[in-house]
Amino acid sequence: MSRVVKKRKLDEIRQDRLYFDSYSDVTIHEEMIADHVRTNTYRTAILKNSESIRGKVVLDVGAGTGVLSIFCAQAGAKKVYAVEACSIAEQAQITVKHNNMEDRIEVIRGTVETVDLPETVDVIVSEWMGYALLHESMLNSVLYARDKWLKPGGIILPSKAELYITPVIDPVVEDRLHFWYTVKDQYGVDMSCMSGFARKCIMNSDITVSSVTCEDVLSHPARFAELDLHSVTPEELRSVKGQFRCESFGSSAVNAFCVYFTVTFPCPDSTAPLVLSTSPCKPETHWKQAVLYLDAPVEVVQDTPITGEVRMYPSEENARHICIHVDYSIGEQKRHSKTFSIPDWSSEAQP
């Protein structure tokens, strides 16, 4: 094995360790379970699929504290394999026993890629979504489980994911940039020369995870990608892309794009499927939205076209981190390109 390949393998091992370690603390699990939109949608979806779950075998990929596994047992599952790689699996085992479910739920410590189940399964359930849907790259594990353990005709909860983009105005950023023009009136020192530096610092290439209000959305959203979990491949996840076209609602200044996602659960006894949405115009979730700042705001008027292409792909430095590349044109403006990524703070904290 070459030194370069060996180093890459060691980096991947370290990245996985950091990823799993981040789920060993109570805080992240508190945040996820306290997210009522997330947890209640999963509970509702599982119960609505009780006919497909009752008497069947379920695999919970990345089971965490085991709450989804317990929902499946409550829906009548004969057996649930709760696979969890990090030490929170110990708490899942305690929670399962505390709810008198140990006869039907088996907590297995390990990654789904390395554990060995005694049988194939009828249902896969997983809450795999990260920021901007694909950050943390857990969907790859769900696809591995699908290909290895799911019976033909089995169901996956959720079964579909969709990605959307829309132009927005972030007034907080504009207020922060304007601040430097107010310093002279307050303190007698003209610091307006700081505005350019401030713009570079604030409107940078980071994927900013924050809450966007519906009032700051400047057009109808455009869907640029759809993932069918029954058919999408790991290779296709290496480049998720699509084109978009929006038309502005009225006069404003676009200073960012907002990317968000939905996931859909099949509901056999209902005319409409159940959708978990992270749209800024829906109740807030812990995923919030991914905000991508332009280098400078662009003025728009009613029906100004905003077009382009989005491509999402794993970072070369850390395959669990997502990069988003956007090519875009606003009105008559020439085409621009910008690549965004989520800062890898862990790399600064490790030797």
Side-chain angles (χ1 to χ4, degrees), residues 69-145:
S69 295
I70 292 173
F71 290 161
C72 290
Q74 290 173 340
K78 176 179 69 175
K79 184 73 175 181
V80 182
Y81 295 104
V83 176
E84 174 53 51
C86 82
S87 61
I88 200 68
E90 298 170 13
Q91 296 303 315
Q93 185 65 62
I94 293 170
T95 302
V96 167
K97 188 174 182 179
H98 188 69
N99 284 270
N100 301 310
M101 295 284 189
E102 62 264 42
D103 59 329
R104 284 192 285 162
I105 301 175
E106 180 179 346
V107 179
I108 303 174
R109 173 79 185 270
T111 66
V112 76
E113 292 85 356
T114 58
V115 302
D116 190 22
L117 302 184
E119 58 186 322
T120 54
V121 304
D122 304 284
V123 180
I124 290 177
V125 63
S126 180
E127 196 277 77
W128 52 267
M129 300 84 73
Y131 297 130
L133 186 68
L134 298 175
H135 185 62
E136 292 184 339
S137 192
M138 187 179 162
L139 180 53
N140 289 281
S141 295
V142 177
L143 302 188
Y144 181 93

Side-chain angles (χ1 to χ4, degrees), residues 28-54:
I28 193 166
H29 297 283
E30 177 184 349
E31 180 184 42
M32 290 189 294
I33 295 176
D35 182 343
H36 182 75
V37 174
R38 166 201 179 269
T39 307
N40 195 57
T41 302
Y42 266 87
R43 180 173 183 269
T44 301
I46 289 168
L47 295 178
K48 282 183 176 291
N49 280 275
S50 59
E51 287 300 314
S52 302
I53 293 174
R54 188 175 297 115

Side-chain angles (χ1 to χ4, degrees), residues 7-17 319:
K7 182 179 185 300
R8 186 179 300 126
K9 289 292 182 184
L10 288 172
D11 286 345
E12 289 173 0
I13 292 170
R14 175 177 159 273
Q15 290 160 10
D16 284 347
R17 177 175 56 79

Side-chain angles (χ1 to χ4, degrees), residues 148-170:
K148 185 169 184 178
W149 299 112
L150 186 63
K151 294 177 182 178
I155 67 171
I156 305 175
L157 301 174
S159 59
K160 182 175 70 172
E162 295 167 283
L163 281 155
Y164 296 83
I165 189 169
T166 184
V168 297
I169 172 70
D170 185 343

Side-chain angles (χ1 to χ4, degrees), residues 66-319:
V67 65
L68 301 187
S69 295
I70 292 173
F71 290 161
C72 290
Q74 290 173 340
K78 176 179 69 175
K79 184 73 175 181
V80 182
Y81 295 104
V83 176
E84 174 53 51
C86 82
S87 61
I88 200 68
E90 298 170 13
Q91 296 303 315
Q93 185 65 62
I94 293 170
T95 302
V96 167
K97 188 174 182 179
H98 188 69
N99 284 270
N100 301 310
M101 295 284 189
E102 62 264 42
D103 59 329
R104 284 192 285 162
I105 301 175
E106 180 179 346
V107 179
I108 303 174
R109 173 79 185 270
T111 66
V112 76
E113 292 85 356
T114 58
V115 302
D116 190 22
L117 302 184
E119 58 186 322
T120 54
V121 304
D122 304 284
V123 180
I124 290 177
V125 63
S126 180
E127 196 277 77
W128 52 267
M129 300 84 73
Y131 297 130
L133 186 68
L134 298 175
H135 185 62
E136 292 184 339
S137 192
M138 187 179 162
L139 180 53
N140 289 281
S141 295
V142 177
L143 302 188
Y144 181 93
R146 176 199 69 190
D147 295 340
K148 185 169 184 178
W149 299 112
L150 186 63
K151 294 177 182 178
I155 67 171
I156 305 175
L157 301 174
S159 59
K160 182 175 70 172
E162 295 167 283
L163 281 155
Y164 296 83
I165 189 169
T166 184
V168 297
I169 172 70
D170 185 343
V172 175
V173 164
E174 294 307 313
D175 288 345
R176 289 182 65 189
L177 296 176
H178 180 68
F179 163 77
W180 297 103
Y181 292 91
T182 68
V183 174
K184 185 175 181 179
D185 289 340
Q186 297 182 69
Y187 306 114
V189 179
D190 187 348
M191 299 197 70
S192 59
C193 57
M194 282 285 294
S195 62
F197 174 68
R199 185 177 299 281
K200 289 180 182 178
C201 292
I202 297 169
M203 303 180 75
N204 54 31
S205 297
D206 291 346
I207 298 173
T208 303
V209 177
S210 63
S211 295
V212 176
T213 65
C214 194
E215 292 76 15
D216 296 332
V217 173
L218 301 181
S219 80
H220 292 297
R223 187 182 70 176
F224 66 88
E226 177 180 336
L227 305 177
D228 181 342
L229 268 65
H230 285 280
S231 59
V232 68
T233 66
E235 291 73 25
E236 289 171 328
L237 294 183
R238 296 199 62 79
S239 181
V240 175
K241 62 182 179 180
Q243 296 182 341
F244 67 90
R245 179 183 175 87
C246 304
E247 294 182 351
S248 56
F249 289 142
S251 298
S252 187
V254 178
N255 66 5
F257 287 110
C258 163
V259 171
Y260 70 91
F261 67 87
T262 65
V263 293
T264 301
F265 300 83
C267 291
D269 298 329
S270 176
T271 55
L274 187 62
V275 177
L276 191 167
S277 175
T278 62
S279 164
C281 297
K282 296 290 184 180
E284 185 176 324
T285 70
H286 78 282
W287 289 285
K288 302 177 182 177
Q289 288 83 37
V291 180
L292 316 175
Y293 289 110
L294 311 186
D295 290 331
V298 180
E299 297 294 327
V300 294
V301 296
Q302 179 76 39
D303 296 329
T304 296
I306 302 166
T307 61
E309 183 178 76
V310 186
R311 185 168 71 92
M312 303 176 69
Y313 56 94
S315 165
E316 290 185 3
E317 286 74 26
N318 186 337

